[in-house]
Amino acid sequence: MTTALLVAVIAFAGCYAFINGFHDVSNSVAAALRTRALTPGAAVVSASVFNLLGALMSTTLALVLADLFIKLPAGSSGLGILIAGLAAACAWGLWTWLRRMPSSSTHALVGGIVGSGAASTLVGGQSISESFRVLWDQIALPLLLSPVIAFVLAYLLVYPVMWLMRYSSLRRGDAGNRIAQSVLSAAFSLGHGMQDGQRTMAVIVLGLVAAGYSTGGQIPWGVQLFAGGALAAGALFGGWRITHTLGYRLVRIDPLRGMSAQAVATAMLFLGGLWLHIPLSSTQTMTSAIVGAGANRRFAAVRFIPLREILVTWLITAPAAALLGGIFFLALSPLL
């Protein structure tokens, strides 16, 4: 039974990474497509390749998350918590994709596992409440603060960029910004693979530890390749529904502001993944940066009705995923 549950954890982790890929590829390509810096085909292929490279580039964040995320009980109970949490994150990702809403896959994953872990205590499982305290300062707080920081930085970055380009013609400036956007789009995909790929790795390692196949001290190469491959395959599948929301429904951006938004979002992903080793939502970071850069032109340019829908989706993502995770665990508990 333990081996079968571990296989289920790996399968659901692969589904989560695949859904994450086609759900979040819009973050990498929306601004570049909106300003015609990249063609759709080139944008998707670039996003897929660099997501894979990002997932293979580092494992430090995965090890940090595996240590801090949740101290799972060993055996079938811990594996059941992971299965229910991953199923909840997958279900929420598909639902928001159908509604064309950019939402945080990280919030969904954290909420799903917390909800399933809480439900496990209701059926006599080992309490994991002692590990919840790390969720706020290590995971939840960075995820909540990053959209605000991305908005402010993108809004402010437009000013020095405009000053540097003050002697350039509009045509020459737009051409240069489109080239920069092409590079930054690839860099953002690299950062996305580094961030989101390592979350999938962390979950699989937690499953290996719960099943007794690993001590959690390292990420096997096979796990890296599996997580990166599933993420890249999802990105190649494409997510045009959410790309339209980010690129066309929120705010009108020109190449200068598109480049500024991508520069801020990319820098934040690399800062969080390589230096601070904290998870950041690529969806929330890029969406906030796009709105911040677009609002620099004038706040009236921001379309507040779709923005309000997105903010509501962000607020309910973790609670909704937690509820789903709890329901899924209770449904699965007779088999545990």
Side-chain angles (χ1 to χ4, degrees):
M1 177 60 74
T2 300
T3 302
L5 290 173
L6 177 60
V7 171
V9 167
I10 295 173
F12 272 103
C15 290
Y16 168 77
F18 183 84
I19 293 171
N20 189 337
F22 77 73
H23 191 284
D24 287 3
V25 68
S26 56
N27 305 326
S28 306
V29 305
L33 292 179
R34 179 67 178 87
T35 60
R36 293 175 294 177
L38 289 172
T39 63
V44 169
V45 171
S46 172
S48 178
V49 170
F50 283 96
N51 265 288
L52 176 60
L53 294 177
L56 301 178
M57 191 169 69
S58 173
T59 61
T60 304
L61 179 59
L63 292 172
V64 171
L65 291 177
D67 182 57
L68 294 177
F69 208 87
I70 277 186
K71 305 300 181 184
L72 291 174
S76 60
S77 179
L79 293 170
I81 290 173
L82 290 177
I83 292 171
L86 285 165
C90 290
W92 185 258
L94 287 173
W95 186 74
T96 52
W97 175 76
L98 289 172
R99 293 186 63 245
R100 303 175 184 267
M101 284 292 106
S103 67
S104 171
S105 301
T106 308
H107 274 175
L109 180 62
V110 172
I113 294 181
V114 168
S116 60
S120 73
T121 64
L122 300 178
V123 293
Q126 177 183 339
S127 174
I128 58 174
S129 59
E130 66 274 6
S131 62
F132 286 172
R133 60 182 176 81
V134 304
L135 292 177
W136 176 254
D137 56 346
Q138 298 288 344
I139 296 178
L141 190 59
L143 289 172
L144 292 173
L145 289 178
S146 58
V148 178
I149 296 173
F151 176 91
V152 173
L153 290 180
Y155 184 91
L156 295 176
L157 181 61
V158 174
Y159 291 115
V161 174
M162 291 179 64
W163 183 84
L164 289 173
M165 298 178 60
R166 65 192 184 280
Y167 298 124
S168 298
S169 66
L170 179 61
R171 183 175 180 179
R172 181 180 178 185
D174 284 350
N177 283 318
R178 287 191 177 101
I179 294 173
Q181 272 192 281
S182 302
V183 176
L184 289 170
S185 178
F188 185 88
S189 297
L190 191 70
H192 177 267
M194 182 174 56
Q195 282 271 349
D196 290 55
Q198 292 191 64
R199 288 167 207 153
T200 304
M201 298 176 206
V203 172
I204 295 176
V205 168
L206 287 171
L208 292 172
V209 171
Y213 289 103
S214 173
T215 60
Q218 61 181 1
I219 307 295
W221 174 251
V223 172
Q224 277 188 269
L225 194 60
F226 175 78
L231 191 66
L236 193 61
F237 181 79
W240 303 114
R241 299 173 67 89
I242 300 176
T243 299
H244 178 77
T245 300
L246 287 179
Y248 294 87
R249 291 188 61 201
L250 282 176
V251 66
R252 183 177 180 180
I253 56 173
D254 53 21
L256 184 149
R257 287 167 176 81
M259 185 276 294
S260 300
Q262 287 190 294
V264 168
T266 301
M268 289 183 64
L269 287 188
F270 275 90
L271 182 66
L274 290 179
W275 184 32
L276 299 178
H277 306 309
I278 56 175
L280 296 177
S281 169
S282 60
T283 299
Q284 293 184 352
T285 302
M286 179 58 81
T287 304
S288 301
I290 288 175
V291 175
N296 181 278
R297 184 191 295 271
R298 64 183 188 277
F299 275 95
V302 179
R303 298 184 176 100
F304 286 97
I305 292 178
L307 179 60
R308 182 181 61 193
E309 294 174 353
I310 291 173
L311 292 176
V312 170
T313 301
W314 289 359
L315 289 174
I316 67 174
T317 290
L323 179 61
L324 286 174
I327 293 172
F328 289 155
F329 183 85
L330 293 177
L332 185 64
S333 59
L335 299 177
L336 304 179

